[in-house]
Amino acid sequence: MRLSRSFLPTFKENPAEAQIVSHRLMLRSGLIRQTASGIYAWLPAGLRILRNISQIVREEQDSVGAQEVLMPTLQSADLWKRSGRYDAYGPEMLRIQDRHKRDLLYGPTNEEMITDIFGQIINSYKELPQTLYHIQWKFRDEVRPRFGVMRGREFLMKDAYSFDLNYEAAVASYQRMMLAYLRTFQRLGVRAVPMRADTGPIGGELSHEFLILAPTGESGVFYDAALEGQDWLDTPVDVTDPAALETFYKRVTTPYAATDEMHDTTAWEAVPEERRREGRGVEVGHIFHFGNKYTKAMDVSVVGADGERLYPEMGSYGIGVSRLVGAIIEASHDDNGIIWPDAVAPFKAVIINLKAGDETCDAVCEGIYNKNTEDFLYDDTSDRAGTKFANADLMGHPWQIIVGPRSAKEGRVELKRRATGERHDLTVDEALSLVLAGA
Amino acid sequence: MRLSRSFLPTFKENPAEAQIVSHRLMLRSGLIRQTASGIYAWLPAGLRILRNISQIVREEQDSVGAQEVLMPTLQSADLWKRSGRYDAYGPEMLRIQDRHKRDLLYGPTNEEMITDIFGQIINSYKELPQTLYHIQWKFRDEVRPRFGVMRGREFLMKDAYSFDLNYEAAVASYQRMMLAYLRTFQRLGVRAVPMRADTGPIGGELSHEFLILAPTGESGVFYDAALEGQDWLDTPVDVTDPAALETFYKRVTTPYAATDEMHDTTAWEAVPEERRREGRGVEVGHIFHFGNKYTKAMDVSVVGADGERLYPEMGSYGIGVSRLVGAIIEASHDDNGIIWPDAVAPFKAVIINLKAGDETCDAVCEGIYNKNTEDFLYDDTSDRAGTKFANADLMGHPWQIIVGPRSAKEGRVELKRRATGERHDLTVDEALSLVLAGA
C-alpha cells in the first residue's frame, strides 16, 4: 500500500480518553476509531491485524479437527429461555425487540444456539465427537466500557464448542483444544500461560484461562519458570491418541500456574524459589468443560449404541480476537510505539523513501514495492525523514527498509529491525531476503 | 474434509417452509440452518461459499484502489439524526436501547458512519479521492422474511463509499466501481447485467443495478444481446485514466438494458429484434452516485486548493454477498441439485469411494485426498453408491472423482463434470490435472 494514497492516519498527540498504552497506541497508529461508547470501526491497518490473528486462530482450530461455521449475531430469546439463562443473564445482555415485538438479543456467547443446531443435525453416537467453532462479533453491554478494545462492547471472539459421548472423550477434546491454544498464541508471537480457573458451581478441574504477561494486566499471575520457553509448535502430539494427549496435558498442567484469584500459597512455596515468576497478565482465552449442562437443559440427546438416549458432554473454548490486538500491544511496545510480532503485523515492512522525488530513490523504492505490493507499506509521502521514522516506529512494522539518495546510488539500503533497533547496510536483495524470511 | 467426520448434513426431503429453489437447495445441501425468522447460521459448506465470494469481491475492490475497513454492526442513533435519516427510515430499521437508555440501531447501511469517520481523518483536497469499503453483517427488519437468504433480515453485504473533490472525479470513481463489479460477477461465474436504476429525488443517471438472470428473479429484465459474452477480465482498462474509463463505461451503458420498472418501450423497439433479450433477474448489486447529500447534511468538508471548504461528492456501492449464494443457485442448478461455478464451490471436487473398506479403493482415495485435504471433500462413508451420487449432485461440487474397485486396481478413476454430466475414464494423474486446472 502506498502511504500517500491510503487511509492510514497517524497522530502525534496522545488522545485524552485513552488510559492504557494499547488504547493510546491503537488510536495514534490509526488502527481504530471509536464510533459509539465501547464500539469501534477498524481502519485498514487494524483490519489487517484482526485478519492475521483470525487466520492463525482458524488454522490451529482446523488442525485439531474443529470445523468452522458462522452463527448470526442476533439470537432469539426463546433459545435462552430453553436453557434458563435468559432471566439469569444480567444487564450485560443487549435485549432487543423486533417490529413484531418478538424478543431477540445480541449474542454474548453461543452455547444455546450451537446446542440447538447440533441437536437438529446430529442423531447418533456414531457421529461424535464434533467440535464446531465460529469467529463472530459479540456484544456485552459493559456498564463502563474502557481500555479501547480490551473492554469494548462489540468485540470479535472465536468460540468453539465440543460435543462428546462421555467424560473421557470430552477430556480428550479439552486437551486437544489446549494444544491448539498454546500453538495459536505461540504463532501470534506472545507468551500465554494457561492458568487453572474457577469452574464455579459445576466444579471439576477442567477450566483454564490463558494470560499474556504484561505489566498492565488486570490479574496478578504466579507461575513456575518451567512453563517458559516451551516450543509447542515443534512438539508432535497425535491428537487422535488419548494417551499422547494426556502426556502432553500433564506436561502443561503439572508446573504451578495460577492467577491471584486461584492462588494457593502452600503449592507456590513448594516451587523452588529460583523458578518462581510473578507478574501481571491479560486474559485472552478461556477453555471450559461443563458436561451436559446445556444438552440436558435443552433436551438435546443422541442415540447410543444400545438405542438409549445420551446427553453429550460439552466444552466451550473462547479466544478474544479483537482483545488480542490490545493485549499483544500491552506485551510488545516501547516508548516510540508498537512492536508487532511478524505474524500479526499489518505490513511485513515499510519502505521509507528519504527523498521522494529523487530519481534514484524513487526507482529503488518502486522496485522493492512493486514486488511486494500486498505485504509492504511504501512511505512515498513528502514528509520529513524524522516524521517518517517516527511514524514507522509508532506503527510498529517489523522491518524498516530505509532508502536514502547516497546509498540508493550503490543499490544499497539500510534495514532496521523494529524490535531490536539493529540497523544493517545491505544490498536490496540481501535486505529483501532477510525481510521475506520473516525474522 | 472427510465426510464421515464432518458437519455437512444433507436432506432428501424438500423442507416445507422453502418456496423457491435456492432456499430448498441451501437447506437440503446443509449450507444454512434458520435460527430465527430471517436469520441463518452458516454451516461449514455454506461458510466456505460465503468466504469464496467475499474473497473475490475483496480482490476486485482492492484492484480498483478501494481500501477495506470494518465498521461495527451497531451504530449510534445520533449519527442518523445528523443526516436526518433516523426519523425518515421506516420500521425496517432495528432500533435498540442499551442499558443506559441510549439509542442504538443495527446498521442497515453505513453512509452516515463512513462520512463521519472520513470527516475525522481527511482534511485536505490533496487526500482525495478515497474509496472505502467493508464486508459486514447488516440487519433489515423485513416485515415478512422469506426466500431464505434472498430476503433475510441479517445479511452480509459489501458496501463501498467513494469521496471525490468534484462531480467529474466522482464519475470516474463510479465508473471504476462498475468495472470492478463486472469483473467480480464474471469471476463468480454468473452473468450479471447492469441496468439503469431509478435515482429517486436526487436525479441524474448515475445509478445502476446488477441483475443475475434467473427464471425465478423478482424483476423483469430487457436487454440488448450485445451485452452478452463480454469478457471484462481480459479488457485492460487504465483505471487512473478518465478517458479510458469513459470509453469503457460507454461500451457498457450504450446497449439497452432495463428492468421493468425503468423500461422504455420506444428505446426497446429501436433494438434490432434478433438482439432483444427478455427474462427475469435477481438484483445482487447496486451502485449509486448521490453527490454531497451526506457530506452537506453532516457538515463534513475538506479544505480546497484556495483554502475554501468543499463538500466531497460521494457514491455508494453495494453487493449482497449472502444474497449472492442464493442468486447463484437460482441461476445454476438442475433437478438433482446445485451446480456450483468453480470459483464459488465449497470444494473443488468430491472423491467418491464406491467401496469404502476395500483396500485398493481406500488407498487410491486416500492418495488423492491427502494431497488435497483443503480443497477436496472425501466421501469415505459406508453409504450406498446411489446415495453418494445423489449427495454429490445435490451439493453441486464441480467435479466428482469416482473410485470403484475394478478401475482402482488399474490406477484409474471416473471423472464426472457436474455441469455437463460428462464422464471420463482417466488415470489418477490425468483426473487431478483436469480438476486442478479449474475447468
Side-chain angles (χ1 to χ4, degrees):
Chain A
M1 212 176 270
R2 278 172 206 275
L3 188 56
S4 65
R5 299 188 201 158
S6 69
F7 205 71
L8 298 174
T10 51
F11 303 91
K12 272 193 191 162
E13 307 299 325
N14 270 322
E17 76 267 30
Q19 300 167 40
I20 61 171
V21 66
S22 60
H23 191 192
R24 280 199 294 272
L25 289 174
M26 286 182 73
L27 289 170
R28 284 189 54 206
S29 66
L31 306 186
I32 52 169
R33 296 298 285 191
Q34 179 166 295
T35 59
S37 171
I39 304 180
Y40 294 87
W42 294 76
L43 303 189
L47 177 57
R48 279 172 166 251
I49 296 159
L50 211 51
R51 189 172 293 148
N52 290 343
I53 295 175
S54 299
Q55 184 57 25
I56 288 173
V57 168
R58 177 175 292 128
E59 287 169 11
E60 294 302 326
Q61 292 291 296
D62 292 347
S63 81
V64 295
Q67 293 176 73
E68 191 173 3
V69 297
L70 185 58
M71 289 178 271
T73 60
L74 296 197
Q75 305 187 18
S76 160
D78 291 343
L79 269 177
W80 289 66
K81 287 174 184 162
R82 276 173 64 194
S83 75
R85 280 211 289 184
Y86 188 66
D87 294 324
Y89 217 102
E92 287 183 6
M93 176 186 277
L94 188 68
R95 293 159 207 260
I96 303 170
Q97 275 202 336
D98 71 12
R99 65 193 290 171
H100 299 300
K101 305 288 170 213
R102 281 177 299 214
D103 290 320
L104 300 173
L105 57 97
Y106 200 120
T109 178
N110 284 66
E111 280 82 3
E112 283 81 358
M113 187 179 280
I114 198 74
T115 303
D116 184 56
I117 292 171
F118 171 90
Q120 289 176 42
I121 288 171
I122 302 294
N123 299 304
S124 159
Y125 74 99
K126 290 182 196 164
E127 298 169 81
L128 296 183
Q130 292 281 351
T131 299
L132 302 166
Y133 75 98
H134 73 159
I135 302 176
Q136 178 61 294
W137 294 90
K138 313 281 191 296
F139 199 92
R140 287 189 194 155
D141 201 358
E142 298 276 351
V143 65
R144 274 195 303 140
R146 56 198 155 143
F147 307 149
V149 299
M150 299 283 277
R151 192 168 297 180
R153 296 199 292 171
E154 188 169 329
F155 60 98
L156 188 60
M157 188 162 112
K158 185 285 297 178
D159 38 327
Y161 305 90
S162 62
F163 296 86
D164 282 283
L165 201 55
N166 54 43
Y167 180 74
E168 289 68 36
V171 168
S173 288
Y174 183 90
Q175 293 171 340
R176 267 193 291 273
M177 204 50 85
M178 178 169 275
L179 179 64
Y181 273 44
L182 290 168
R183 288 180 171 165
T184 300
F185 294 120
Q186 189 178 334
R187 285 184 62 191
L188 293 174
V190 287
R191 178 190 306 286
V193 181
M195 315 237 164
R196 264 189 56 204
D198 193 0
T199 48
I202 294 169
E205 295 204 340
L206 289 179
S207 176
H208 285 86
E209 294 173 346
F210 291 77
L211 287 99
I212 289 184
L213 304 177
T216 52
E218 71 252 349
S219 308
V221 296
F222 303 83
Y223 66 96
D224 184 333
L227 287 167
E228 288 179 340
Q230 303 255 26
D231 185 346
W232 303 111
L233 296 170
D234 267 356
T235 305
V237 179
D238 178 354
V239 297
T240 63
D241 174 8
L245 284 167
E246 183 65 27
T247 304
F248 149 77
Y249 183 69
K250 283 238 169 80
R251 199 175 130 204
V252 183
T253 54
T254 303
Y256 185 86
T259 59
D260 37 18
E261 254 188 340
M262 297 283 288
H263 193 41
D264 170 352
T265 42
T266 313
W268 181 236
E269 275 156 21
V271 178
E273 201 165 348
E274 72 279 10
R275 292 209 326 240
R276 288 186 211 155
R277 300 283 181 274
E278 288 188 43
R280 302 200 68 78
V282 181
E283 189 196 333
V284 290
H286 196 158
I287 61 178
F288 197 72
H289 167 78
F290 46 72
N292 55 22
K293 174 179 172 186
Y294 293 96
T295 47
K296 261 201 165 153
M298 297 175 72
D299 195 23
V300 166
S301 61
V302 297
V303 179
D306 300 318
E308 76 282 24
R309 305 296 312 183
L310 296 166
Y311 293 107
E313 295 262 323
M314 289 177 65
S316 74
Y317 314 92
I319 289 181
V321 175
S322 49
R323 173 170 246 248
L324 261 166
V325 180
I328 293 171
I329 295 174
E330 290 293 333
S332 184
H333 66 273
D334 63 17
D335 289 346
N336 298 322
I338 303 169
I339 302 170
W340 286 118
D342 294 274
V344 176
F347 301 96
K348 278 196 170 64
V350 59
I351 308 162
I352 300 180
N353 188 339
L354 288 183
K355 204 171 173 186
D358 174 270
E359 209 174 305
T360 318
C361 281
D362 289 357
V364 169
C365 289
E366 295 281 340
I368 299 172
Y369 177 64
N370 288 330
K371 280 185 229 153
N372 302 280
T373 53
E374 271 302 302
D375 295 330
F376 285 15
L377 178 66
Y378 173 21
D379 187 344
D380 60 340
T381 63
S382 53
D383 289 339
R384 288 180 311 108
T387 305
K388 292 189 179 197
F389 290 137
N391 271 338
D393 280 355
L394 172 62
M395 290 189 71
H397 315 292
W399 298 98
Q400 300 172 14
I401 303 169
I402 302 159
V403 181
R406 217 154 1 160
S407 51
K409 267 187 201 142
E410 298 158 25
R412 300 183 76 80
V413 299
E414 193 176 23
L415 183 68
K416 176 181 162 185
R417 179 76 173 155
R418 174 68 178 91
T420 60
E422 280 177 89
R423 290 159 177 270
H424 297 284
D425 176 46
L426 300 169
T427 67
V428 169
D429 286 345
E430 287 166 349
L432 281 180
S433 69
L434 265 179
V435 171
L436 298 175
Chain B
M1 213 176 268
R2 279 173 205 275
L3 188 56
S4 66
R5 299 188 200 158
S6 69
F7 204 72
L8 297 173
T10 52
F11 303 92
K12 272 192 190 163
E13 308 299 326
N14 271 322
E17 76 267 29
Q19 300 166 41
I20 61 169
V21 65
S22 61
H23 191 192
R24 282 199 294 273
L25 290 174
M26 287 183 74
L27 289 170
R28 284 189 54 207
S29 66
L31 306 186
I32 52 169
R33 297 297 286 189
Q34 180 167 295
T35 58
S37 171
I39 305 181
Y40 294 87
W42 295 76
L43 303 190
L47 178 58
R48 279 172 166 251
I49 296 159
L50 211 51
R51 190 171 293 149
N52 289 342
I53 295 175
S54 300
Q55 184 56 26
I56 288 173
V57 168
R58 176 176 294 129
E59 287 169 12
E60 294 301 326
Q61 292 292 296
D62 291 347
S63 80
V64 295
Q67 293 177 72
E68 191 173 3
V69 298
L70 185 57
M71 289 177 271
T73 61
L74 296 197
Q75 305 186 19
S76 160
D78 291 342
L79 269 178
W80 289 66
K81 288 174 184 163
R82 275 174 63 194
S83 75
R85 281 211 290 184
Y86 188 66
D87 294 323
Y89 217 101
E92 287 183 5
M93 176 187 276
L94 188 68
R95 292 159 206 261
I96 302 169
Q97 273 202 338
D98 72 11
R99 66 193 291 173
H100 299 300
K101 305 289 171 212
R102 282 176 299 213
D103 291 320
L104 300 172
L105 56 97
Y106 201 119
T109 179
N110 285 67
E111 281 83 2
E112 283 81 358
M113 188 180 280
I114 198 75
T115 303
D116 184 55
I117 292 171
F118 171 89
Q120 289 176 42
I121 289 172
I122 302 294
N123 298 306
S124 159
Y125 75 100
K126 290 183 197 164
E127 298 169 81
L128 296 182
Q130 291 281 352
T131 299
L132 302 166
Y133 75 98
H134 74 158
I135 302 176
Q136 178 61 295
W137 294 91
K138 313 281 190 298
F139 200 92
R140 287 188 194 155
D141 201 358
E142 297 276 351
V143 63
R144 276 195 304 141
R146 57 197 154 142
F147 306 150
V149 298
M150 300 283 277
R151 190 167 300 180
R153 296 198 291 171
E154 188 170 329
F155 60 97
L156 188 60
M157 189 162 113
K158 184 285 299 177
D159 38 326
Y161 305 90
S162 61
F163 296 86
D164 282 284
L165 199 56
N166 54 42
Y167 180 75
E168 290 65 38
V171 167
S173 287
Y174 184 89
Q175 293 171 339
R176 267 193 291 273
M177 205 48 87
M178 177 168 277
L179 178 64
Y181 273 44
L182 290 168
R183 288 181 172 164
T184 299
F185 295 120
Q186 187 176 334
R187 285 185 63 190
L188 293 174
V190 287
R191 178 191 306 286
V193 181
M195 315 236 164
R196 266 191 52 206
D198 193 0
T199 48
I202 294 170
E205 295 203 340
L206 289 179
S207 177
H208 284 86
E209 295 174 346
F210 291 77
L211 287 99
I212 289 184
L213 305 177
T216 52
E218 72 252 349
S219 307
V221 296
F222 303 83
Y223 67 95
D224 184 332
L227 287 167
E228 289 179 340
Q230 303 255 26
D231 185 345
W232 303 112
L233 295 170
D234 267 356
T235 304
V237 180
D238 178 354
V239 296
T240 62
D241 173 9
L245 283 168
E246 183 65 27
T247 304
F248 148 78
Y249 183 71
K250 282 238 169 80
R251 199 175 129 203
V252 184
T253 54
T254 304
Y256 186 85
T259 60
D260 38 18
E261 253 187 343
M262 295 285 288
H263 193 41
D264 169 351
T265 42
T266 314
W268 180 236
E269 274 155 23
V271 178
E273 201 166 351
E274 71 280 8
R275 292 209 328 242
R276 289 185 210 155
R277 299 283 181 274
E278 288 189 43
R280 301 201 67 78
V282 182
E283 188 195 334
V284 290
H286 196 158
I287 61 177
F288 197 73
H289 167 78
F290 47 72
N292 55 21
K293 175 180 170 185
Y294 293 96
T295 46
K296 262 201 165 151
M298 297 176 70
D299 194 24
V300 165
S301 62
V302 298
V303 179
D306 301 318
E308 75 282 25
R309 305 299 310 184
L310 295 166
Y311 293 107
E313 294 263 323
M314 290 178 64
S316 75
Y317 314 91
I319 290 181
V321 175
S322 49
R323 174 169 245 247
L324 261 167
V325 181
I328 293 171
I329 296 174
E330 291 292 332
S332 184
H333 68 272
D334 63 17
D335 289 347
N336 298 321
I338 303 168
I339 302 171
W340 285 118
D342 294 272
V344 176
F347 301 97
K348 278 196 170 66
V350 58
I351 308 162
I352 299 180
N353 188 338
L354 289 183
K355 205 171 174 186
D358 174 271
E359 208 173 303
T360 318
C361 281
D362 289 357
V364 170
C365 288
E366 295 281 340
I368 300 172
Y369 177 63
N370 288 330
K371 279 183 231 152
N372 301 280
T373 53
E374 270 300 302
D375 295 331
F376 285 16
L377 178 65
Y378 174 22
D379 187 344
D380 60 340
T381 64
S382 52
D383 289 339
R384 288 180 312 107
T387 304
K388 292 190 178 196
F389 289 137
N391 271 339
D393 280 356
L394 172 63
M395 290 189 72
H397 314 293
W399 299 98
Q400 300 171 14
I401 303 170
I402 302 159
V403 181
R406 219 153 1 160
S407 51
K409 266 188 202 141
E410 298 158 25
R412 300 182 76 81
V413 300
E414 193 175 23
L415 183 68
K416 177 181 161 184
R417 179 76 174 157
R418 174 69 178 91
T420 60
E422 279 179 89
R423 291 158 177 270
H424 296 283
D425 176 48
L426 300 169
T427 67
V428 168
D429 285 347
E430 287 166 350
L432 281 180
S433 69
L434 266 179
V435 170
L436 297 176

